[in-house]
Amino acid sequence: MPKRPLDITVFGVLFLIGGPAELYNIIKTGWAYEPKFFGIQATGVIAQVVLMAQPIMHIAIGYGFLTLRKWSFYLALFYAADVLTSSISSFIIHGYGLIRTIFISLLTPYVIYLITRRKCFVR
């Protein structure tokens, strides 16, 4: 049996921690945050669905990474594409912002790295 990849395990644990942390932030703001989904501003009920999907996706990706599920690789790419698209569109519309700049700066190499490690997802 091949050795468990430490990097994918660490990412899995971070995603599992990130899910409840994201949910805490959503609840702390009183559901007032209006998220973007692939760069499109969501409001009302749609915003609440998008907000609930984020911690659920964190937990699902974390579980998938820890169990090396192939679907988690694709879910992570989908989620990264959503965050990158939203961050880049916000950068174009609103200009510099610390959080969006961090997302763009870190997610781009993360996606490239994840693609190079796609063979780790074997189940």
Side-chain angles (χ1 to χ4, degrees):
M1 181 174 211
K3 188 176 178 185
R4 172 178 253 318
L6 178 61
D7 55 343
I8 302 302
T9 302
V10 169
F11 283 132
V13 169
L14 291 174
F15 272 110
L16 283 178
I17 293 168
E22 183 74 22
L23 182 60
Y24 172 78
N25 286 332
I26 291 167
I27 292 169
K28 183 179 164 186
T29 63
W31 298 82
Y33 179 67
E34 295 179 341
K36 291 186 176 177
F37 183 67
F38 282 96
I40 301 169
Q41 188 76 40
T43 59
V45 174
I46 295 173
Q48 290 181 344
V49 170
V50 171
L51 284 174
M52 278 310 300
Q54 291 174 348
I56 291 168
M57 282 210 296
H58 278 114
I59 292 167
I61 292 168
Y63 168 78
F65 275 31
L66 290 177
T67 57
L68 303 175
R69 307 286 184 188
K70 192 172 282 283
W71 56 260
S72 66
F73 166 74
Y74 296 108
L75 185 59
L77 288 182
F78 172 82
Y79 189 59
D82 169 42
V83 174
L84 273 172
T85 303
S86 297
S87 298
I88 291 168
S89 68
S90 290
F91 194 88
I92 291 168
I93 294 168
H94 303 292
Y96 173 81
L98 180 61
I99 300 299
R100 68 181 69 103
T101 302
I102 290 170
F103 280 157
I104 293 167
S105 300
L106 294 179
L107 275 175
T108 304
Y110 169 75
V111 167
I112 294 166
Y113 181 77
L114 191 60
I115 289 170
T116 65
R117 299 289 285 155
R118 69 184 171 274
K119 292 185 188 216
C120 293
F121 300 92
V122 294
R123 295 184 187 172

